[in-house]
Amino acid sequence: AMAALAAMLLITSCGGGGEGSGGGGDRIRVALVQGLAGEEFYETMACGARAKAKELGVDLDVQGPQKFDPTLQTPIVNSVVAGAPDAMLIAPTDVKAMIAPLTQAKQQNIKIILVDTVVEDPTIGLSRISTDNLKGGAAAAEALSEQVGGKGKVLVISTDPGVSTVDARIKGFEDEIKASHPGLTYVGVQYSHNDVGEASRIMNAALAKDADLAGVFATNLNSATGAGTALQQAGKLGKVKMVGFDAGPAQVKQLKDGVVQALIAQLPADIGAKGVEQAVAAVKGQEVTPSIPTDATIVTAANVDRPEVQKVLYKA
Ligand code: T6T
């Protein structure tokens, strides 16, 4: 009965049978440490990783911090290391702060695969699997420029400096504006600490400061949820254009409601699946691919209902 209960508790939103923690002694054991637990991007990543783990017959344990914060992620990494898995997939929450705990893991001969985010130390991560975030940021700038007719003030709302993915999106956005959109005035980036309420406050303050704000780029799920909610409540629909990274259910609703004009959807399930593949290859001493870029799709109201676009929307 206990086993049945445990199995039930492990059933997840992706409909799989959960991770096989009770597997046989000689099965490869892989841990996935998310950037944030319970969030659609990382839960979709976990779904992809679980499916691949099942297919390859490896045990997968998924954990993540309650906030996107290295002080909360570090103890999780430490406890994973204490459990001595064969490999660890991780989305590090800070380019610097996560180097020390991951160095410990590496010294214990745990094969490390970086999924989504990275750390500054290039010797950490046998494989790095992520969206081309620089390119994604440039695509966001292009989409926003098109929406605002190539002119006006544009703002970026991000999470925190030191997060490799969103930092690259900001850089891609800024570079693209400088290079090709002389009519846009970039009013800078503000940081929400990945908090929806804070992103809303930033958006409201920006509307109060710049009544003529033309557009906003929100660099991830929570930033976009907060910024979009503020725009909606301020009655700025269609007046201030918005482009967001990621495509969770709230983002897709905002797109359909006309709050947001374009979303850059990543392939988190693919990142998770490829992460497990690379981990298994590393453990078996097979060839590992150092860098694997995954695709991004620009989702708009015009294409969101197409089957191939529906496929890339994140799971609830
Ligand atoms: O945008 C994703 C992820 O790529 C990023 O590293 C952190 O934020 C998300 O998880 C979305 O909230």
Side-chain angles (χ1 to χ4, degrees):
M2 282 296 279
L5 182 64
M8 268 174 63
L9 291 172
L10 284 168
I11 288 176
T12 62
S13 59
C14 33
E19 50 253 33
S21 46
D26 53 359
R27 280 161 68 103
I28 291 174
R29 290 193 304 126
V30 180
L32 164 59
V33 180
Q34 299 162 305
L36 181 59
E39 182 241 50
E40 291 121 2
F41 176 85
Y42 291 114
E43 291 305 320
T44 306
M45 179 191 285
C47 287
R50 284 190 180 103
K52 184 54 77 176
K54 200 170 172 194
E55 179 192 322
L56 299 181
V58 307
D59 290 342
L60 181 71
D61 170 54
V62 180
Q63 297 182 60
Q66 294 304 312
K67 281 187 184 168
F68 196 95
D69 180 340
T71 65
L72 300 180
Q73 194 182 40
T74 296
I76 294 176
V77 170
N78 293 343
S79 88
V80 164
V81 171
D86 300 297
M88 171 167 37
L89 270 50
I90 181 166
T93 44
D94 186 275
V95 288
K96 288 192 169 75
M98 293 312 295
I99 292 175
L102 290 176
T103 301
Q104 292 268 331
K106 199 179 148 188
Q107 283 164 354
Q108 299 299 314
N109 200 27
I110 297 168
K111 309 291 186 218
I112 301 170
I113 308 295
L114 300 183
V115 282
D116 180 46
T117 45
V118 300
V119 286
E120 268 171 15
D121 181 343
T123 69
I124 290 177
L126 295 166
S127 178
R128 295 176 166 212
I129 305 159
S130 76
T131 305
D132 185 335
N133 289 293
L134 204 59
K135 219 167 102 187
E142 247 176 78
L144 191 57
S145 179
E146 193 184 315
Q147 287 296 329
V148 302
K151 57 178 191 290
K153 293 177 181 167
V154 293
L155 167 76
V156 174
I157 302 181
S158 193
T159 63
D160 281 297
V163 178
S164 65
T165 47
V166 292
D167 280 353
R169 291 168 202 166
I170 297 168
K171 184 170 191 320
F173 183 89
E174 292 175 353
D175 289 353
E176 170 66 21
I177 285 183
K178 261 186 227 141
S180 315
H181 305 277
L184 295 183
T185 306
Y186 178 45
V187 300
V189 52
Q190 296 207 40
Y191 294 101
S192 67
H193 315 302
N194 209 24
D195 183 84
V196 173
E198 187 55 26
S200 279
R201 279 190 287 280
I202 290 170
M203 190 71 250
N204 281 323
L207 292 172
K209 181 166 175 278
D210 288 305
D212 56 346
L213 190 74
V216 58
F217 168 41
T219 67
N220 81 333
L221 281 176
N222 284 353
S223 306
T225 302
T229 304
L231 284 180
Q232 199 157 23
Q233 285 169 358
K236 288 287 183 181
L237 290 204
K239 294 195 191 96
V240 177
K241 308 288 188 186
M242 179 169 152
V243 173
F245 227 88
D246 295 309
Q251 281 63 48
V252 173
K253 175 152 197 320
Q254 288 183 341
L255 187 76
K256 292 190 170 169
D257 289 347
V259 183
V260 175
Q261 281 66 47
L263 302 172
I264 319 284
Q266 308 187 70
L267 291 178
D270 230 41
I271 295 174
K274 292 194 161 112
V276 170
E277 269 171 11
Q278 293 300 308
V280 169
V283 172
K284 290 186 171 168
Q286 295 164 350
E287 199 183 324
V288 170
T289 310
S291 172
I292 303 180
T294 50
D295 285 340
T297 305
I298 302 182
V299 185
T300 63
N303 70 11
V304 67
D305 291 321
R306 289 190 201 150
E308 70 271 22
V309 175
Q310 285 286 315
K311 266 202 322 224
V312 303
L313 307 178
Y314 308 173
K315 307 256 172 1

